[in-house]
Amino acid sequence: MEDATLRGAQVLCGGGRVGETGTFFAPTVLTDVDHGMLVAFDETFGPVAPVIRFETVEDVIHQANDTIYGLAAYFYATELRKVWHVAEALEYGMIGINTGRMSSEAAPFGGLKQSGIGREGSRHGMEDYLDMKYLCMGNI
C-alpha cells in the first residue's frame, strides 16, 4: 500500500489497521493503480483490491498474466464467448467467474507458476503422491 500510494494510487476505502491489537487490516480498495506498482504484480495476502484500468480484453489478459504468480484470478462478465476466451487465456490454477467464492473441499485447490505445483483436495490432490509407470511390451 505504501508503494502504491507513493506512486499515485488513491485509497478509496480502508487502508489501515483495525483495532489496537492483532494483525487485522481493513478491507481496502485502491484506485489509479498501474502495473509498475508492487500491489499489481506482488502476491498480496490481505484484503486489498487494486483497481487497474484496461482498454481491451487482450490488454487485461496480458496484464493479469504478467506476473510470476498464478494462484487465483477472478473476473466478472456476461458474454459467454468472452468468459471462455478470458478463462482459457488466464494463467492461474483457479479462476472465479462472476463469483468471489470458488473453493470447496471437492475442488482441486492450487496455483500455477510460483504459486504452487500440484493440487490439494479432490482426487487430483493424490496425484502428487503417486508415481506413474508406463510399460510397453511386445512379442510376449
Side-chain angles (χ1 to χ4, degrees):
M1 289 229 359
E2 182 179 338
D3 173 75
T5 55
L6 285 174
R7 293 173 183 252
Q10 303 297 314
V11 178
L12 185 65
C13 65
R17 291 176 56 103
V18 175
E20 299 295 320
T21 61
T23 57
F24 298 105
F25 195 80
T28 302
V29 176
L30 296 173
T31 60
D32 300 323
V33 175
D34 67 49
H35 205 67
M37 299 173 185
L38 284 174
V39 72
F41 61 85
D42 202 10
E43 197 167 33
T44 304
F45 286 97
V48 178
V51 177
I52 303 172
R53 293 184 179 272
F54 62 93
E55 296 295 325
T56 66
V57 172
E58 296 309 316
D59 182 33
V60 75
I61 291 169
H62 172 73
Q63 287 186 51
N65 288 339
D66 190 19
T67 177
I68 60 173
Y69 302 107
L71 180 59
Y74 305 83
F75 71 94
Y76 287 78
T78 56
E79 187 181 327
L80 193 54
R81 180 177 296 168
K82 204 171 279 185
V83 165
W84 279 108
H85 173 68
V86 173
E88 289 178 345
L90 288 173
E91 298 167 356
Y92 289 81
M94 302 178 297
I95 300 173
I97 303 164
N98 295 339
T99 182
R101 296 181 46 144
M102 66 173 155
S103 189
S104 79
E105 72 283 351
F109 181 93
L112 301 178
K113 304 179 193 178
Q114 290 188 27
S115 288
I117 297 173
R119 296 291 179 267
E120 50 187 79
S122 82
R123 65 178 178 84
H124 301 286
M126 291 299 296
E127 292 173 3
D128 290 334
Y129 300 97
L130 302 174
D131 291 323
M132 183 181 297
K133 186 181 287 186
Y134 170 76
L135 303 175
C136 179
M137 297 183 197
N139 299 320
I140 294 181

